[in-house]
Amino acid sequence: MKKHWMAGCLVLLLLFMLTGCGTPVANEGARGKDWAYTVVPQRDCPEDFKKELEQKKINRFQMTYDDGEYLYIAVGYGEQETGGFSIKVQGLYEKGDSLCIETSLVGPEEDTVVKNKASYPYIVVKTEKTEKTVEFLQ
């Protein structure tokens, strides 16, 4: 009886260890190398890019602009009913052959006084020029 009990415990222990110790695939779902970037105000964007931003800001958009020296990445969340919104960059990082940018829209807090006028939140970041494909994650 004692041998069966110990054998049963050993089997359970092995099953527990095997199910909890799977070997993950290398870099599966992992973020790659972080990239340096600067958030750029609209006034400091290249003129051609500024015009495109103004045309697209009413709807959600994702776009890039290469001025020959830098890569500009813009993400817009379209028309919002009020002011008080901002965009947070969760990260800009390399993942394989892609440069990934993660952003999120941050709404006004409940106790914040906001203008009851439509707003068009978007963000522009500037980084080093690259041949990588930009992937937008929101």
Side-chain angles (χ1 to χ4, degrees):
M1 176 81 168
K2 192 173 183 181
K3 287 183 183 180
H4 292 293
W5 181 79
M6 287 181 62
C9 287
L10 184 58
V11 168
L12 286 174
L13 181 62
L14 286 172
L15 284 173
F16 178 73
M17 288 174 51
L18 289 173
T19 58
C21 298
T23 306
V25 176
N27 293 329
E28 183 179 63
R31 282 174 52 151
K33 176 185 141 194
D34 286 335
W35 276 54
Y37 66 91
T38 304
V39 175
V40 181
Q42 180 188 14
R43 68 179 179 273
D44 294 341
C45 291
E47 286 301 318
D48 293 346
F49 190 46
K50 242 191 274 193
K51 288 176 185 173
E52 283 187 67
L53 290 169
E54 280 301 308
Q55 291 172 352
K56 293 186 181 231
K57 74 179 185 181
I58 195 164
N59 298 309
R60 291 178 70 103
F61 69 88
Q62 303 164 335
M63 58 191 263
T64 61
Y65 181 85
D66 178 349
D67 71 354
E69 186 176 357
Y70 295 102
L71 174 64
Y72 294 83
I73 303 170
V75 178
Y77 283 81
E79 183 175 5
Q80 305 299 314
E81 290 182 12
T82 66
F85 288 87
S86 62
I87 299 171
K88 181 176 181 179
V89 177
Q90 305 289 351
L92 180 65
Y93 55 90
E94 183 178 347
K95 187 174 181 182
D97 291 337
S98 297
L99 182 62
C100 300
I101 183 164
E102 285 186 59
T103 61
S104 60
L105 180 64
V106 179
E109 295 182 19
E110 284 188 36
D111 58 344
T112 303
V113 177
V114 296
K115 293 180 181 178
N116 284 330
K117 181 180 174 186
S119 65
Y120 308 90
Y122 65 86
I123 193 166
V124 177
V125 299
K126 179 172 88 170
T127 190
E128 65 184 78
K129 186 177 171 180
T130 181
E131 296 301 317
K132 291 186 176 291
T133 301
V134 176
E135 186 176 330
F136 295 89
L137 308 171
Q138 295 178 340

